[in-house]
Amino acid sequence: MNIFILSSRGLSSHVSWDPVFELENILIRTCNAQLLIPSARHWRERSEKMPPLAKRIVHKVMKSTTGFYKLDSLPELSNKPNVLLIVGLSGSNLELLSTIPNWRQRFDVVIGYVFDAWDTNSYSKNVYHLDRLFVPLPEVIDELTQQFKIPVSLLPFGADVLAQGSCQVKRSIDLTSFGRIPAQYHNAFFNKFNQPGSDQIYYKSTARMGEVYPKLPYEQRQDEEDTLLLFHMLRDSKITLAFDTLYPGMRKFPYSFVTLRWFYGAATGGAIVGKRPTTPLMDELFDWEDATIELPESPQKSVELIAELLQDTKRLQSIYRRNYVESLARHDWRYRIQSMLEKVDVPLPHQLREELLELKMLHHKLVAKELAVKK
């Protein structure tokens, strides 16, 4: 069996893409997958600086002739089953499949995984030819199945718990936020914890500038470094903030959505405090005690709640352990890869099976240790 990953890392460098590339890197290592990295054709890059009408004309011509992207060399296939996987932020990213001439005939199995899956109008027509589409929110599955007439399956997000997870007790950052946060809460936390004389630290990460058609290859950019730094900051944080996508002040989503920050926060152990997603999927995925802690509607009362929680060392340390243990058992990306491959009847590669076993052994070891302490 040969697994190939068609990646957008040669076309974009942005924090939104970092989790996609993180998942691709795990796939490369655990599935001995071969990475295919298209680049943009010259006129595709030039069109970004054109007026809207000219840009539309150029795109229409390119789509019907050369295509938008090119591969320096086509994948070398064998008589073994050849599997192609593409992970995208939106359905439009499936257009990248057209980079490979006769891609549907070349590969035995073609899988897509789309993060922001709800906009049916954004999908490339290539979606109709997938063997299976995976999406991270259940609310859109019926609509996508009916529209595209292909199997669509739920695949929640995850995190690299095995490599990046932690339940360490010593943590020097009191409160961390990454990504979007309602302004009233950010202001309240900043004014309380980041003033002279404060014994606490509120850290709000700032995303790097995005780059379309980056000049440097992925290995020479900050993408992976930023992911590793984010995990390190989260491992060192007592509390991580997260808010439902439907909460006022957040980016507008059509659905309540269990986004990546919930999985990252749990994997690194810190208490997740904020506004819990109202989707039923949240109750399935994060169903243990103190998996999340709800903030009051009043930002000032929220400051008081966090100040009290920071004083409750026993509760915090219990949360560190439980979040990490549950993530080891349920929310590592390797479990998602396993589910994906099993859905399309692809045997699990040896290294993936080894790392799944490592996850289970580490989980059992920690659970046994906790039981011994209780006795």
Side-chain angles (χ1 to χ4, degrees), residues 1-5 27 30-33 83-85 109 111 132 134 155 333-353 356:
M1 178 189 61
N2 305 305
I3 297 180
F4 298 85
I5 301 170
L27 279 158
T30 61
C31 299
N32 194 28
V83 180
L84 179 63
L85 169 64
V109 179
I111 310 166
R132 189 172 291 267
F134 292 92
L155 194 75
W333 274 125
R334 291 158 186 82
Y335 296 125
R336 310 297 191 245
I337 297 170
Q338 178 186 16
S339 177
M340 187 187 299
L341 297 181
E342 289 177 346
K343 281 284 186 183
V344 293
D345 297 320
V346 171
L348 301 186
H350 172 74
Q351 185 61 33
L352 177 61
R353 286 188 275 110
L356 286 168

Side-chain angles (χ1 to χ4, degrees), residues 40-230:
R41 293 189 182 276
H42 174 68
W43 279 102
R44 174 70 178 191
E45 290 194 43
R46 287 197 63 181
S47 70
E48 294 299 321
K49 299 179 181 179
M50 293 180 179
L53 178 59
K55 182 177 180 179
R56 284 198 298 271
I57 293 172
V58 169
H59 283 190
K60 185 175 181 179
V61 171
M62 292 190 71
K63 193 169 184 178
S64 61
T65 54
T66 63
F68 297 135
Y69 314 109
K70 59 183 178 179
L71 268 174
D72 291 336
S73 60
L74 293 176
E76 296 183 7
L77 308 181
S78 70
N79 56 2
K80 297 179 181 179
N82 296 293
V83 180
L84 179 63
L85 169 64
I86 179 169
V87 184
L89 287 183
S90 76
S92 64
N93 299 130
L94 298 176
E95 182 61 31
L96 204 61
L97 289 163
S98 300
T99 304
I100 305 173
N102 301 316
W103 61 271
R104 182 60 273 186
Q105 289 73 36
R106 288 175 180 267
F107 292 92
D108 301 289
V109 179
V110 184
I111 310 166
Y113 183 27
V114 175
F115 279 23
D116 293 350
W118 54 82
D119 185 2
T120 57
N121 295 321
S122 74
Y123 281 79
S124 161
K125 291 182 179 179
N126 289 331
V127 70
Y128 290 97
H129 305 290
L130 296 178
D131 290 292
R132 189 172 291 267
L133 173 66
F134 292 92
V135 298
L137 64 167
E139 289 83 359
V140 302
I141 289 177
D142 288 345
E143 181 183 5
L144 295 174
T145 301
Q146 291 171 13
Q147 179 160 339
F148 300 136
K149 310 301 181 189
I150 60 171
V152 182
S153 297
L154 175 67
L155 194 75
F157 290 141
D160 188 357
V161 188
L162 184 61
Q164 303 298 336
S166 174
C167 59
Q168 67 188 49
V169 172
K170 186 178 179 181
R171 295 172 182 249
S172 58
I173 303 173
D174 298 282
L175 182 63
T176 291
S177 173
F178 66 102
R180 195 177 297 270
I181 175 177
Q184 66 271 28
Y185 286 97
H186 168 75
N187 293 335
F189 299 144
F190 185 88
N191 292 333
K192 171 64 177 178
F193 299 118
N194 288 356
Q195 301 302 318
S198 173
D199 292 330
Q200 284 83 35
I201 297 174
Y202 165 52
Y203 172 74
K204 174 72 169 70
S205 69
T206 303
R208 70 178 185 276
M209 289 291 293
E211 186 180 3
V212 180
Y213 310 131
K215 296 177 177 60
L216 294 175
Y218 176 79
E219 293 76 15
Q220 297 176 26
R221 303 195 311 248
Q222 284 184 240
D223 307 42
E224 189 171 15
E225 288 184 7
D226 283 359
T227 298
L228 296 176
L229 178 59
L230 173 61

